[in-house]
C-alpha cells in the first residue's frame, strides 16, 4: 500500500480531535512536483517559481515539526497526569467497596472495577495511538524527503532527519513506560479474589472492546506492517519498536461471536 493511502486510512481511524495533527503529506507532495517540474533558467540557476516552491517546502516542513511537537507534548503531559491518578482511584474503590472497606459490597466493587478497567484500557489505547502518531509522521517525513532528494537532486534528507531525531515527538520512551505500567495495573486487577472480579471473560472483553480499542489494534497492526516493508536498516529507518506486548493487546479483545454451522 502506498504511504499516502496508508496515511489517509490512519487519519480516518484516528480519534476525531487528532485528525488535523498529522503530516500534510499531500501538500508536500504537490510542492515536490512543482519544484521538480520547474525548468532551470538559461544560466543553470533555479527559476523563480521553483525557488518559491522550494522555500515554501522548507517552511511547511518546519511548521509540521512544530505541529507534531506541540500536539505530542500536550498529550504526553495529559497522560502523565492521568497515570498518576490511577492508583489513587483504585485505592479509593478498595477502601470503599472492598472486604475491609467502609461500604463493602461485591456488586458495587465489580461495577466500579469494570468502569476503572475500561478507562485504563482506553487510556492504554490512547497512548499506543500516540506512539503510532509519532511513527507514522516520522515515516511520512522520511518518505517525502526521499522523494524530494530523488526528484530535485538535493541533499536535504539526511540533515533534516538528523534534526527530526532530536525532536520531542520522536522520543517515545516515557509513553512506552506508561504503557507498560498500564499493562501491569490491568494484570494486578486480575489478581483480585474471584468474588470481586467481573462475572465472566465475556464481560472483560466487552469492557475492553468499547471506546478506542479497535483503533488501537489497527494501529499496532499498521506499525508492524510498516516495519515488514523493508528488510534493511538505514539512518532513515523507523525507530525500533518499543511497544506493548501484542499478546496483552489481543487478550483484551472482545471474544468473537460463536459461529453456528
Amino acid at each position: 500500500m502506498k504511504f499516502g493511502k496508508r496515511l489517509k486510512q490512519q487519519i480516518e481511524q484516528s480519534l476525531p480531535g487528532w485528525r488535523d495533527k498529522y503530516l500534510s503529506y499531500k501538500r508536500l507532495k504537490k510542492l515536490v512536483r512543482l519544484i521538480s517540474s520547474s525548468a532551470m533558467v538559461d544560466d543553470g540557476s533555479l527559476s523563480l517559481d521553483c525557488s518559491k516552491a522550494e522555500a515554501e517546502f522548507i517552511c511547511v516542513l518546519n511548521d509540521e515539526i512544530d505541529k507534531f511537537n506541540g500536539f505530542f507534548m500536550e498529550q504526553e503531559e495529559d497522560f502523565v497526569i492521568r497515570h498518576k491518578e490511577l492508583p489513587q482511584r483504585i485505592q479509593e474503590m478498595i477502601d470503599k467497596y472492598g472486604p475491609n472497606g467502609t461500604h463493602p459490597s461485591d456488586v458495587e466493587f465489580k461495577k466500579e472495577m469494570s468502569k476503572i478497567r475500561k478507562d485504563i484500557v482506553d487510556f492504554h489505547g490512547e497512548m499506543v495511538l500516540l506512539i503510532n502518531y509519532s511513527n507514522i509522521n516520522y515515516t511520512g517525513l522520511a518518505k517525502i524527503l526521499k522523494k524530494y532528494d530523488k526528484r530535485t537532486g538535493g541533499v536535504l534528507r539526511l540533515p533534516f532527519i538528523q534534526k527530526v531525531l532530536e525532536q520531542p515527538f520522536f522520543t517515545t520512551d516515557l509513553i512506552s513506560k506508561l504503557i507498560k505500567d498500564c499493562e501491569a495495573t490491568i494484570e494486578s486487577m486480575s489478581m483480585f479474589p474471584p468474588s470481586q472480579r467481573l462475572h465472566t471473560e465475556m464481560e472483560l472483553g466487552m469492557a475492553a472492546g468499547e471506546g478506542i480499542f479497535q483503533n488501537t489494534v489497527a494501529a499496532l497492526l499498521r506499525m508492524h506492517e510498516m516495519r515488514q516493508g523493508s528488510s534493511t536498516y538505514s539512518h532513515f529507518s523507523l525507530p525500533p519498536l518499543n511497544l506493548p506486548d501484542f499478546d496483552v493487546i489481543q487478550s483484551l479483545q472482545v471474544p468473537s461471536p460463536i459461529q453456528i454451522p
Side-chain angles (χ1 to χ4, degrees):
M1 183 186 297
K2 290 187 176 181
F3 179 78
K5 187 174 290 187
R6 179 182 287 133
L7 176 61
K8 181 181 178 183
Q9 187 180 70
Q10 173 61 52
I11 292 172
E12 290 172 350
Q13 293 179 339
S14 186
L15 301 177
W18 292 30
R19 290 174 186 166
D20 62 345
K21 308 301 182 184
Y22 286 85
L23 180 69
S24 302
Y25 189 70
K26 191 177 286 188
R27 181 183 178 188
L28 288 164
K29 268 183 69 177
K30 183 178 179 181
L31 288 170
V32 170
R33 285 196 298 267
L34 183 59
I35 295 166
S36 61
S37 63
S38 297
M40 297 283 187
V41 295
D42 292 340
D43 63 1
S45 60
L46 292 174
S47 68
L48 181 59
D49 286 346
C50 183
S51 296
K52 287 182 177 179
E54 191 168 43
E56 185 179 353
F57 180 78
I58 301 297
C59 182
V60 172
L61 282 176
N62 287 320
D63 287 346
E64 293 293 277
I65 294 295
D66 290 341
K67 178 176 72 177
F68 301 156
N69 285 338
F71 177 72
F72 186 91
M73 289 189 291
E74 180 181 350
Q75 294 299 313
E76 187 176 59
E77 182 179 357
D78 178 60
F79 291 161
V80 169
I81 293 171
R82 289 163 65 184
H83 177 263
K84 288 180 179 178
E85 292 172 347
L86 285 178
Q88 180 181 351
R89 186 177 171 189
I90 293 171
Q91 190 59 50
E92 287 175 354
M93 176 190 67
I94 294 172
D95 291 343
K96 186 173 183 180
Y97 298 117
N100 301 315
T102 56
H103 299 79
S105 168
D106 280 352
V107 173
E108 289 301 320
F109 192 94
K110 292 171 185 174
K111 181 180 175 182
E112 292 303 312
M113 182 175 164
S114 177
K115 289 180 183 177
I116 292 175
R117 188 181 188 283
K118 179 186 179 300
D119 288 347
I120 294 173
V121 170
D122 282 349
F123 177 41
H124 179 279
E126 286 181 59
M127 292 191 290
V128 172
L129 290 177
L130 189 63
I131 290 185
N132 183 54
Y133 172 85
S134 170
N135 277 250
I136 200 161
N137 284 309
Y138 171 85
T139 301
L141 287 171
K143 286 186 177 294
I144 201 66
L145 288 163
K146 179 181 180 181
K147 197 178 293 288
Y148 172 89
D149 282 3
K150 183 178 179 180
R151 293 196 176 187
T152 67
V155 287
L156 184 60
R157 188 183 183 199
L158 180 57
F160 202 90
I161 288 297
Q162 288 174 336
K163 172 185 174 181
V164 169
L165 300 182
E166 299 173 356
Q167 301 304 310
F169 88 90
F170 182 80
T171 308
T172 59
D173 291 349
L174 175 57
I175 299 299
S176 295
K177 180 183 181 302
L178 296 182
I179 286 173
K180 293 296 183 184
D181 287 349
C182 254
E183 290 169 3
T185 300
I186 293 171
E187 181 66 24
S188 69
M189 292 179 75
S190 70
M191 302 305 290
F192 285 115
S195 64
Q196 297 172 7
R197 297 178 196 162
L198 299 182
H199 290 93
T200 64
E201 290 183 7
M202 176 65 79
E203 287 181 64
L204 288 170
M206 288 175 67
E210 299 171 1
I212 65 170
F213 184 74
Q214 297 304 321
N215 290 354
T216 305
V217 173
L220 279 169
L221 290 171
R222 190 159 295 112
M223 283 187 273
H224 281 277
E225 175 192 328
M226 287 165 67
R227 283 163 176 76
Q228 290 171 354
S230 173
S231 59
T232 58
Y233 179 82
S234 73
H235 292 296
F236 312 109
S237 300
L238 278 166
L241 268 175
N242 188 11
L243 296 172
D245 187 340
F246 198 69
D247 290 339
V248 174
I249 296 293
Q250 289 180 315
S251 72
L252 300 175
Q253 293 189 65
V254 180
S256 300
I258 297 174
Q259 299 295 321
I260 302 176

